Structure formats: C-alpha cells, structure tokens
Amino acid sequence: MVSKRVVLKFPQKLVDQPIVYKLVKEFNLVFNILRARVTPNEEGELVIELQGKKQNYADGIKYLQNLGVSTQPLSQDITRDEKRCSHCGVCVTMCPTEALYLDQNTQKVIFDPEKCIACELCVRACPPRAMKIKIL
Ligand code: SF4
Ligand code: SF4
C-alpha cells in the first residue's frame, strides 16, 4: 500500500470530467482532497492524497498523465529558498499542519515538506518571499 499526496493540474477541457471518480472506480484508489481551486485562466488544481496498492497508484497516475493532467508530488510543490529565509517565525504561527516549526535548540525555523498541504498561507505571508510555489 502507498499513500501519496500529489498536485494535479487540469487543463480547462478536463475541469468538468469525472476523473477522480475514475481513480476510485477503475484503480481502486482512496482519495482525500486537501485543496481544490480553479485558476484565473480556468484550469483546475487539486491537491489530493491517494491511497492504494502501489501498482494501482502507478497506473492511476499514468492514466491522469495520458489524459493531459499534470502531476507532481506535493513535497515538490512548495519549497523554501534557504538563502532568503531569515527565520523570523512569521510562517510558524499560520502553518495549519506544523510543516513549519521552530527548533527550540537552534531557534531556527524548520520546513518539513512531508507535512505540507500546499495551502500557500506561508507563501503570501513570508516577508522576504522565501516560500515558493513551483509552477507545473
Ligand atoms: S516567514 Fe519566511 S523568512 Fe520567516 S521563517 Fe518563515 S520562511 Fe523564513
Ligand atoms: S503551504 Fe501551508 S501547509 Fe505548507 S508550509 Fe506553508 S503554511 Fe504550512
């Protein structure tokens, strides 16, 4: 069994298609939607957690890609520019999943991409713009 969080970007022509339903029905995957939105140019973006057998997961991702859906592991969606981060701590107070937290020993702010759900709150709040969204 695998459990992975991925960012899916749908071209406009696929936004109203029952794609997630097919992931469940045809690939036996369980899903949990973490974030969904339609971008200004009317593409769809879904941050989703998928669980299932390893082969089913791989086949499901292949199915998405063949349809024209861009896929990317969530851990690569939000990144931090370490050179820019001043460890001010602003992001720590707003991160809903504690993906950004203060190391009490070093007094440095740590970023754990595995806990990140890509809500983007830190991206907007970070004074030196150290938190970044990777564009697919
Ligand atoms: S808000 Fe930005 S600069 Fe401040 S600790 Fe967070 S990532 Fe670093
Ligand atoms: S994008 Fe959201 S969940 Fe991820 S580190 Fe920033 S505030 Fe936390």
Side-chain angles (χ1 to χ4, degrees), residues 80 84-92 100 109 122 125-128 130-131:
R80 182 168 73 172
R84 282 191 175 219
C85 177
S86 59
H87 299 273
C88 67
V90 167
C91 56
V92 173
L100 288 154
V109 174
C122 59
C126 174
M131 300 303 295

Side-chain angles (χ1 to χ4, degrees), residues 78 94-97 99-100 111 116-122 131:
I78 300 284
M94 58 183 55
C95 178
T97 62
L100 288 154
F111 173 47
C116 176
I117 58 166
C119 70
E120 299 179 12
L121 289 175
C122 59
M131 300 303 295

